[in-house]
């Protein structure tokens, strides 16, 4: 539809119809079972007659159900405006990919784009037009359950991944390509920094830090064309994001020029009252509308209060018109006026299921997302003609999809046992899999039979693969933990097994960085997160050497929760520990180290990569003349592999205290056995910009320290380069 036609449509809408477009309700309000509908309607106070004007639907999927709702909706809507289906397709719709924290650990933007493409294809075929993804909240606190949804602790990596997700979801032609869906970058802003890692808790930081560290990811997603943004539950500088005019109107829409749809999180408009910045629904609607929230998700302050606010002159009708026009434009950008069923054939709705292609993609991304944290004595990869015992509560578990796994079916997933049994046959490995201790509750308590069987199997095996971890319910929304260790029963199992066999390979399945101190004695540790539908197949590929692991942590693993938050890009201090580690009066603890047990960017390979001394094309650069850093990386092993070569920069003297190092580039590089590859980085003036006290982002002329290496800790000695003049 042409834009003028949209304006004409808007002009023909009554105020009630306009306000209806600003509301989003869950699918049960449209259920064809009256009892399923009247409950929610009564609870929220929505009248049946109002449903025909509600603009969008949350959380419904399935081609047949979406087609049914759309058909009846358009018949009842006076102007035949189509509704639109939105849902949380975070890391897969039916074919489930690794959780986003794991995809971040792939350091492969192509992996993110693939996951998004397959997700979009399946979601669109199931009737959805938008996904509430990518979640781009920067995270530093593993106590928070939603770190599993994030790509980690670094602004640069988050930004690259956010761009890739948006492009994978939306493609280049959202109107013409019905295999794509609109993206929604969330949660704007700073949701990943709740005080004490407690879900929905206050976020306390300066605007300068918010802009410097937390906003770049969202900004990159919007620059990549994300069609919508979701407000965060939390406060930003004392004002809830959903009612924060400065954040939404000044920064998001003013500075960044975002003119897409801004949707609140679930009930977040009404929660302005619980936050204590609105006395009632009327004030909540007033605040949110002035902040620029277009769609109110699952509360009806707009529906009940906007007509009165307009009549009183508290809200200008033009604000409502602007919001409605953005929603109509979004629907139009998706072609819904001409094709209201979009990716669905309403006469022959299909059921989306994983297929060979989607499974192959999921297996490939999963294999790139696992991180090898330890491999003492190169116990991995497992060798042919060995006896392997597969033990532990996760061994046969299908709880491998993780939180936010949409329509994923655990039974369709490949468990570790499934995958390893198939691989063992290929590799002449004699595999025995424990029978006991495989129920969901066995994650937190294990009976004597389990222990006895485990010890017996471990005693007679050459190598033990011990599958441990969190159930998926321990991470995700509303799942913060104060104790980030493995359940005690699992530690006891580890100790019992290791007492009879020192060759223990632990495979971890978890949704957050954990304190792994209690399994330090493991000969190998493979971090598998929740790898999704093809989890067991991908893990078996790695364990048996068919895949050389290449994952690198996108979030630090602390020594203990007492260190939290611990992250690689912390600011320096006036008494830096590194300068005088033996001194008492320096920044350190009495009872723990300062550093993560496994740092950002860390991960092992079956190959052995050796870094040469980096070379600079120049020791100076400016806005017109970037400089290049080249480093030779040699694979000094017999195993072809992939390394993730990382570039870090430090600004030793600036107008504000700066991080001890910041990621400014990375390359995933395939390096064949005994081959040497030259990896090149370009350092530009814009790479060294930062947010100054006046909140402007710019660079300063001066020296910078540049380092290259395989992770944020093991870096070559820094080289000094000089920015001779900043951008005009
Ligand atoms: C949830 C989440 C948000 C999600 C929304 C809709 O509470 O905070 O990420 O998109 O509700 O399900």
């Amino acid at each position: 539809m042409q834009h003028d036609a949209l304006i004409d449509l808007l002009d023909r809408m009554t105020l009630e119809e306009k306000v209806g477009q600003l509301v989003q309700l869950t699918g049960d309000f449209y259920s064809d079972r009256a009892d399923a509908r009247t409950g929610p309607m009564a609870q929220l106070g929505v009248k049946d007659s109002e449903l025909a004007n509600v603009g969008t639907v949350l959380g419904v999927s399935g081609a047949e159900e979406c087609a049914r709702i759309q058909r009846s909706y358009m018949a009842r809507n006076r102007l035949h405006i189509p509704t639109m289906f939105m849902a949380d397709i975070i890391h897969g719709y039916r074919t489930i990919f690794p959780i986003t924290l794991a995809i971040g650990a792939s350091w492969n933007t192509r992996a993110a784009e693939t996951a998004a493409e397959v997700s979009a294809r399946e979601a669109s075929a199931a009737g959805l037009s938008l996904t509430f993804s990518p979640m781009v909240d920067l995270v530093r606190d593993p106590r928070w359950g939603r770190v599993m949804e994030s790509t980690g602790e670094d602004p640069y990596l988050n930004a690259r991944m956010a761009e890739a997700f948006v492009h994978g979801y939306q493609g280049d032609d959202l109107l013409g390509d019905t295999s794509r869906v609109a993206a929604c970058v969330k949660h704007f802003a700073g949701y990943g920094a709740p005080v004490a890692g407690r879900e929905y808790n206050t976020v306390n930081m300066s605007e300068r830090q918010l802009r410097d560290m937390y906003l770049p990811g969202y900004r990159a997603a919007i620059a990549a064309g994300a069609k919508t943004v979701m407000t965060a539950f939390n406060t930003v500088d004392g004002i809830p994001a959903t009612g924060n005019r400065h954040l939404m109107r000044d920064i998001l829409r003013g500075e960044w020029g975002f003119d897409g749809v801004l949707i609140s999180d679930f009930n977040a408009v009404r929660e302005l009252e619980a936050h204590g910045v609105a006395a009632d629904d009327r004030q909540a609607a007033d605040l949110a509308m002035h902040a620029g929230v277009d769609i109110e998700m699952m509360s009806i302050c707009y529906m009940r209060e906007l007509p009165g606010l307009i009549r009183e002159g508290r809200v200008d009708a033009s604000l409502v018109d602007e919001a409605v026009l953005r929603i109509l434009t979004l629907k139009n950008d998706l072609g819904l006026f001409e094709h209201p069923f979009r990716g669905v054939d309403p006469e022959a709705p299909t059921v989306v299921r994983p297929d060979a292609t989607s499974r192959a993609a999921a297996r490939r991304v999963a294999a790139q997302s696992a991180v090898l944290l330890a491999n003492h004595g190169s116990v991995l990869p497992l060798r042919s003609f060995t006896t392997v015992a597969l033990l532990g509560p996760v061994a046969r578990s299908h709880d491998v999809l993780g939180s936010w796994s949409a329509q994923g079916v655990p039974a369709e997933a490949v468990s570790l046992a499934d995958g390893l049994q198939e691989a063992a046959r290929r590799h002449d490995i004699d595999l025995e899999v424990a029978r006991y201790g495989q129920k969901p509750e066995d994650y937190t308590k294990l009976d004597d039979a389990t222990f006895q069987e485990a010890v017996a199997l471990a005693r007679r095996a050459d190598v033990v693969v011990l599958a441990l971890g969190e159930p998926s319910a321990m991470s995700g929304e509303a799942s913060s933990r104060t104790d980030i260790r493995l359940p005690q029963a699992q530690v006891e199992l580890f100790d019992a097994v290791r007492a009879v066999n020192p060759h223990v390979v632990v495979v971890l399945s978890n949704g957050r960085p954990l304190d792994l101190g209690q399994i330090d004695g493991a000969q190998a540790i493979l971090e598998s997160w929740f790898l999704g539908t093809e989890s067991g197949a991908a893990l078996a590929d790695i364990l048996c050497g068919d895949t050389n692991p290449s994952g690198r942590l996108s979030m630090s693993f602390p020594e203990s929760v007492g260190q939290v938050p611990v992250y690689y890009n912390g600011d320096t201090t006036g008494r830096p520990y590194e300068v005088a580690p033996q001194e008492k009066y320096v920044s350190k603890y009495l009872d723990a180290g300062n550093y993560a047990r496994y740092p950002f960017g860390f991960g092992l390979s079956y190959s052995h990569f050796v870094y040469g001394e980096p070379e600079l094309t120049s020791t100076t650069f400016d806005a017109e003349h970037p400089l290049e850093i080249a480093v030779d990386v040699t694979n000094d092993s017999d195993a072809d592999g992939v390394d993730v070569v990382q570039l870090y920069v430090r600004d030793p003297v600036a107008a504000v205290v700066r991080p001890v190092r910041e990621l400014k580039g990375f390359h995933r590089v395939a390096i064949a056995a005994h081959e040497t590859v030259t990896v090149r980085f370009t350092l530009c003036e814009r790479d060294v910009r930062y947010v100054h006290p006046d909140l402007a982002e710019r660079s300063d002329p001066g020296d910078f320290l540049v380092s290259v290496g395989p992770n944020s800790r093991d870096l070559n000695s820094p080289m000094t380069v000089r920015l001779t003049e900043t951008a005009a």
Side-chain angles (χ1 to χ4, degrees):
M1 185 186 290
Q2 293 302 317
H3 184 69
D4 292 350
L6 287 179
I7 300 295
D8 171 61
L9 174 60
L10 181 67
D11 291 343
R12 286 184 284 130
M13 293 171 75
T14 65
L15 179 57
E16 184 190 18
E17 289 168 335
K18 290 177 182 176
V19 168
Q21 286 294 317
L22 308 185
V23 179
Q24 177 172 97
L25 297 178
T26 50
D28 46 3
F29 286 82
Y30 294 91
S31 170
D32 55 359
R33 294 187 0 261
D35 63 320
R37 192 173 63 240
T38 48
M41 282 167 50
Q43 192 178 8
L44 205 55
V46 173
K47 297 194 280 297
D48 187 65
S49 60
E50 293 171 320
L51 294 181
N53 289 327
V54 167
T56 56
V57 181
L58 163 63
V60 170
S61 66
E64 187 165 1
E65 179 64 356
C66 288
R68 184 191 66 77
I69 294 173
Q70 185 69 283
R71 197 177 286 117
S72 70
Y73 178 92
M74 289 187 73
R76 294 182 61 190
N77 185 280
R78 181 178 70 89
L79 294 168
H80 307 301
I81 298 169
T83 187
M84 177 177 169
F85 299 97
M86 306 183 180
D88 298 281
I89 313 304
I90 308 300
H91 54 105
Y93 172 76
R94 179 72 182 261
T95 303
I96 304 303
F97 285 78
I99 56 172
T100 324
L101 188 63
I103 292 177
S106 75
W107 290 59
N108 184 359
T109 53
R110 185 68 203 122
E113 194 161 346
T114 298
E117 282 168 355
V118 175
S119 303
R121 184 163 61 242
E122 293 188 349
S124 179
L128 292 167
S129 296
L130 180 144
T131 177
F132 294 126
S133 176
M135 185 273 214
V136 190
D137 302 323
L138 187 136
V139 290
R140 292 174 154 174
D141 191 331
R143 291 171 295 184
W144 190 48
R146 298 190 77 166
V147 300
M148 54 71 57
E149 275 181 87
S150 164
T151 49
E153 69 189 45
D154 180 75
Y156 182 88
L157 182 60
N158 285 355
R160 302 296 77 76
M161 287 288 170
E163 292 160 352
F165 272 107
V166 169
H167 196 257
Y169 289 132
Q170 297 188 169
D172 297 320
D173 174 18
L174 191 55
L175 178 62
D177 182 352
T178 57
S179 74
R180 306 286 184 161
V181 295
C184 178
V185 59
K186 69 185 185 183
H187 303 79
F188 197 67
Y191 181 30
V195 169
R198 197 179 81 221
E199 182 63 287
Y200 311 127
N201 203 4
T202 302
V203 168
N204 261 333
M205 68 176 78
S206 66
E207 180 170 335
R208 199 198 63 75
Q209 188 189 16
L210 180 76
R211 285 174 176 269
D212 204 43
M213 195 58 71
Y214 288 82
L215 294 191
Y218 307 111
R219 187 175 58 196
I222 288 160
K227 286 288 185 182
T228 65
V229 172
M230 181 185 291
T231 69
F233 284 127
N234 54 279
T235 55
V236 175
D237 207 3
I239 302 172
T242 306
N244 194 315
R245 189 186 307 201
H246 175 57
L247 185 67
M248 301 302 173
R249 293 252 187 226
D250 298 341
I251 297 176
L252 178 64
R253 295 199 187 280
E255 289 179 34
W256 297 358
F258 176 68
D259 62 357
V261 169
L262 181 58
I263 183 170
S264 80
D265 203 337
F266 196 105
N267 193 42
V269 171
R270 190 113 194 262
E271 285 168 14
L272 293 173
E273 297 167 49
H275 275 293
V277 294
D280 52 29
D281 289 1
R282 174 152 296 198
Q283 193 176 4
D286 186 342
L287 267 176
M289 181 47 65
H290 280 104
V293 175
D294 298 317
I295 297 179
E296 177 181 6
M297 181 194 291
M298 276 305 285
S299 56
I300 55 170
C301 303
Y302 278 6
M303 192 185 276
R304 290 289 169 268
E305 302 299 340
L306 276 178
L309 286 164
I310 292 169
R311 279 194 299 275
E312 290 166 18
R314 293 273 313 152
V315 169
D316 192 295
S318 64
L319 289 183
V320 173
D321 285 353
E322 286 166 17
V324 175
L325 185 57
R326 284 192 283 262
I327 295 163
L328 297 179
T329 302
L330 175 63
K331 293 181 176 181
N332 196 42
D333 288 349
L334 285 153
L336 290 172
F337 285 99
E338 292 78 15
H339 306 289
F341 302 103
R342 198 159 179 270
V344 165
D345 175 352
E347 303 316 318
T350 56
V351 176
V352 174
R353 288 191 178 85
D355 58 26
T357 304
S358 66
R359 280 184 177 269
R363 182 169 180 167
R364 192 166 57 249
V365 173
Q368 293 172 1
S369 303
V371 183
L372 184 60
L373 296 176
N375 189 22
H376 303 297
S378 299
V379 64
L380 290 178
L382 300 171
R383 285 164 180 72
S384 300
F385 311 113
T386 56
T387 304
V388 175
L390 175 58
L391 314 173
V394 187
R396 294 176 187 273
S397 174
H398 284 264
D399 182 14
V400 295
L401 303 184
S403 185
W404 293 111
S405 53
Q407 298 300 312
V409 176
E412 288 175 348
V414 180
S415 71
L416 180 54
D418 299 335
L420 207 45
Q421 279 161 339
E422 198 280 327
R425 283 191 287 276
R426 288 203 315 269
H427 288 272
D428 293 325
I429 288 170
D430 176 9
L431 177 69
E432 285 197 271
V433 183
R435 306 297 309 168
Y436 290 93
Q438 304 300 324
K439 302 183 298 301
E441 56 273 21
D442 290 328
Y443 275 69
T444 51
K445 69 164 185 49
L446 293 161
D447 58 23
D448 289 347
T450 300
F451 272 86
Q452 287 160 20
E453 180 199 40
V455 169
L457 288 176
R459 204 186 292 277
R460 63 173 180 255
D462 297 322
V463 177
V464 173
V465 175
L466 185 58
L468 305 174
E470 294 177 317
S472 57
M474 279 193 182
S475 57
E477 185 171 358
S479 304
S480 292
R481 290 180 69 196
T482 58
D483 182 349
I484 56 171
R485 295 174 298 175
L486 285 166
Q488 186 52 29
Q490 295 185 28
V491 174
E492 289 165 9
L493 179 65
F494 170 78
D495 291 340
V497 164
R498 194 165 160 266
V500 298
N501 190 328
H503 306 298
V504 178
V505 172
V506 172
V507 178
L508 284 173
S509 178
N510 42 291
R512 58 164 50 83
L514 295 176
D515 167 358
L516 299 179
Q518 294 169 302
I519 61 165
D520 240 356
Q523 197 171 357
I525 300 175
L526 181 59
E527 174 55 70
S528 79
W529 315 105
F530 289 98
L531 287 180
T533 303
E534 287 291 312
S535 174
L539 287 171
D541 288 344
I542 292 172
L543 290 169
C544 296
D546 295 327
T547 296
N548 192 343
S550 61
R552 300 289 187 270
L553 294 179
S554 58
M555 187 177 180
S556 304
F557 276 53
E559 271 188 25
S560 74
V561 74
Q563 284 181 320
V564 169
V566 62
Y567 43 93
Y568 91 93
N569 48 358
D571 290 353
T572 182
T573 68
R575 295 191 172 186
Y577 165 78
E578 294 76 9
V579 171
Q582 303 314 319
E583 281 290 314
K584 175 173 177 56
Y585 299 98
V586 293
S587 181
K588 67 179 182 182
Y589 299 102
L590 289 178
D591 57 356
N594 285 9
Y595 307 114
R597 182 186 305 278
Y598 299 110
F600 175 80
F602 178 81
L604 298 176
S605 165
Y606 296 149
S607 305
H608 175 232
F609 297 112
V610 178
Y611 281 58
E613 277 308 305
E615 292 178 8
L616 302 168
T617 54
S618 167
T619 55
T620 62
F621 66 114
D622 62 35
E624 305 303 320
H625 309 92
L627 66 80
E628 200 174 83
I629 303 113
V631 61
D632 283 352
V633 183
T634 300
N635 178 351
D636 183 20
S637 79
D638 297 331
D640 296 350
V642 172
D643 196 16
V644 181
V645 185
Q646 300 160 39
L647 170 70
Y648 292 89
V649 177
R650 177 175 186 174
D651 186 349
V653 180
V656 294
V657 175
R658 307 289 297 129
V660 293
R661 65 184 63 85
E662 296 177 276
L663 180 72
K664 293 298 181 185
F666 63 89
H667 293 296
R668 269 178 61 86
V669 186
I671 309 178
H674 304 294
E675 184 189 270
T676 295
V677 171
T678 301
V679 180
R680 301 179 192 283
F681 296 96
T682 300
L683 184 68
C684 308
E685 175 272 333
R686 66 176 173 279
D687 293 327
V688 295
R689 293 176 188 168
Y690 66 93
V691 179
H692 284 59
D694 64 359
L695 301 185
E697 191 171 7
R698 60 179 181 275
S699 61
D700 304 328
D703 289 350
F704 293 88
L705 304 177
V706 172
S707 304
V708 173
N711 60 65
S712 61
R713 178 189 65 196
D714 307 320
L715 298 169
N716 73 313
S717 51
M719 301 168 293
T720 300
V721 296
R722 172 161 298 182
L723 178 68
T724 51
E725 62 178 282
T726 184

